[in-house]
Amino acid sequence: MKLLATGRLIFAALAVLSLLAAPAHAGARVRIGVLKLSSAAPLFLAKERGYFEQEGLDADLKFFDAAVPIAVAAVSGDIDVGFTGFTAAFYNLAGKGGLKVIAGTAREAPTFQNTAYVASKRAHEAGLKTLADLPGHSVGITQVGSTFHYSLGLLADKLKFDIASVKVVPLQSLPNVTAAIKGGTLDAALTAATTITPVVASGDAVVLGWVGDETPWMLGCVVASTSVIEKQRKTIEKVLAAYRRGAEDYTNVLLKRDADGKSARSAEGDAMLAVIARYTGQQAEQLRVALSVVDPALDTADIARQVAWFKRQKMIDADVDAAKIVDTSFVPDHPTNLK
C-alpha cells in the first residue's frame, strides 16, 4: 500500500512538473497562409514581437509560392486566414462564393518604389525612353491576370493607349522576367523592385517609372472562408488585431521619412529589416529600397474598379460581384489613392 501511495505521489508530481514546463503562451492555433514577400512584413513583426501570443493565439505561418493557392487553401480549409494578392484567378475563385475579402494589405502608393516599369538597355537605346513609348513594344509580366498585368492596364487607361497595342509576354516568374530584361529579349517589363534593382545598377535595365507614382491601387488583401468567418469570428478579430499592431510598427518605423523625403534609418528599423529578411530570404538592403505601404483598411471602390477592368478584358466571369466578395465588418473602408 505504501508503494502504491508513493507511486501516486510521484505520478502527481510529474504531472505538475509537465504543466509547469508547458509553453506559457501556447494559445489557440491559427493557420495563416502567406507569401515570402516584404508586403507580409507586419505579420512577421507581429509573430516576432509576441502580438499573436498576447491575443491568445499560436500563429502557424504557412508559406506559399504564389497568391492563388492561398485563396484555394482558405476555401478548402487548409488554412484559416490568407494574405494574398488580387488577380483574375483570385476573383474567379472568390466569385463562386465561400471566400471573403476581410482586410487590406499592400498598396501601390506615390513615392514608394515597389513595382517598376523598366526598359531593357537595348530597347532604351533604340528609343523606348518614356512610358508613353510602350505601344508597339513587348512587355514582360509574370502571368496573365496578375497584379503586374492589372498595373499595365491601369497605365494604358491613364495614358490613353490600347493595351492590345502592347505585346504582353507572360514569363511565369520574377526571375524569368529579370533574365529576359537583362538578356535584352524583352523591350520592357513590370516587375518587383527587389529583383530588378541589381540589373538596373549594372546598366542592363533602365527604370521608366513606378506603379505607385502613376496609378496607386490596392493590390493585396486578407481573406477567409465564409465558414471560418461564421465559426471563428473571434479568432479572425484577434488575428487582425495582431496584424494591425505589426502594421503600425512597420509604418511608424520603416516607412518614416526624413526632412528631405528620404527613408529615415534607425537601429529599430535595421532590426525590423533583419526580421523581415529572415522570413523572406532576401537581403535587408535589398528590402530597404522596395518597402511598400501596407494598410489593413479596405478599399471597396478600388476592388469594384478592379473587377470591372478584369471583366472588360474577359479574364473573369461576368457574374463576379465585387460587393458580394467583401466583408466590411472587420476593418474600416477608405480609398487607396494617396495622391
Side-chain angles (χ1 to χ4, degrees):
M1 292 295 290
K2 287 183 179 181
L3 286 174
L4 183 59
T6 301
R8 288 172 178 170
L9 286 172
I10 293 173
F11 179 81
L14 289 173
V16 171
L17 287 172
S18 66
L19 289 173
L20 291 173
H25 302 285
R29 180 169 173 263
V30 59
R31 301 161 300 167
I32 303 174
V34 65
L35 298 167
K36 290 186 177 183
L37 299 176
S38 60
S39 56
L43 273 183
F44 306 147
L45 295 174
K47 175 81 171 176
E48 290 294 309
R49 295 186 166 198
Y51 296 160
F52 288 107
E53 290 182 349
Q54 290 169 26
E55 293 291 335
L57 299 176
D58 174 16
D60 180 11
L61 301 186
K62 295 189 173 296
F63 293 99
F64 290 75
D65 295 324
V68 174
I70 293 178
V72 173
V75 172
S76 67
D78 290 334
I79 60 173
D80 302 305
V81 181
F83 285 66
T84 187
F86 288 117
T87 65
F90 167 81
Y91 281 124
N92 277 323
L93 179 63
K96 299 182 186 305
L99 187 69
K100 297 287 186 181
V101 176
I102 59 175
T105 57
R107 302 179 185 225
E108 294 284 6
T111 76
F112 289 91
Q113 300 178 345
N114 182 46
T115 304
Y117 310 96
V118 297
S120 66
K121 179 182 178 181
R122 173 192 56 77
H124 189 261
E125 291 176 347
L128 180 52
K129 305 293 186 181
T130 71
L131 295 172
D133 298 327
L134 283 174
H137 289 88
S138 60
V139 179
I141 59 172
T142 52
Q143 294 178 323
V144 171
S146 64
T147 57
F148 300 105
H149 200 168
Y150 179 69
S151 292
L152 179 61
L154 289 178
L155 182 71
D157 290 346
K158 177 183 177 180
L159 300 184
K160 302 188 185 314
F161 65 80
D162 187 347
I163 194 172
S165 68
V166 172
K167 182 183 178 182
V168 177
V169 183
L171 293 173
Q172 307 310 316
S173 73
L174 290 173
N176 288 347
V177 173
T178 299
I181 285 290
K182 186 173 182 178
T185 57
L186 277 177
D187 296 333
L190 274 83
T191 188
T194 50
T195 59
I196 203 63
T197 297
V199 184
V200 173
S202 70
D204 291 317
V206 178
V207 174
L208 301 178
W210 300 95
V211 170
D213 292 333
E214 297 295 332
T215 57
W217 67 285
M218 175 184 175
L219 61 84
C221 60
V222 185
V223 299
S225 69
T226 52
S227 174
V228 168
I229 292 173
E230 291 171 2
K231 298 175 182 177
Q232 302 181 53
R233 185 176 186 86
K234 290 296 183 183
T235 297
I236 293 177
E237 289 174 347
K238 290 177 179 180
V239 169
L240 293 179
Y243 164 51
R244 279 195 297 268
R245 289 181 65 186
E248 288 173 2
D249 292 350
Y250 170 86
T251 300
N252 293 337
V253 177
L254 287 177
L255 301 189
K256 187 177 180 180
R257 301 296 179 90
D258 59 23
D260 297 324
K262 297 180 179 179
S263 178
R265 298 192 64 159
S266 66
E268 184 180 9
D270 289 344
M272 284 185 176
L273 282 173
V275 170
I276 300 167
R278 191 167 72 251
Y279 278 93
T280 61
Q282 295 177 315
Q283 297 296 317
E285 290 307 311
Q286 191 178 15
L287 293 166
R288 190 188 301 278
V289 300
L291 293 172
S292 60
V293 170
V294 178
D295 189 347
L298 281 168
D299 185 350
T300 55
D302 192 58
I303 292 172
R305 285 190 291 270
Q306 293 176 39
V307 168
W309 185 86
F310 281 119
K311 283 183 179 180
R312 289 198 302 273
Q313 303 304 314
K314 302 188 184 307
M315 293 183 191
I316 66 174
D317 298 333
D319 60 353
V320 175
D321 187 338
K324 291 182 179 179
I325 63 176
V326 181
D327 185 332
T328 59
S329 66
F330 291 96
V331 299
D333 186 15
H334 70 67
T336 301
N337 195 331
L338 303 178
K339 280 189 174 180

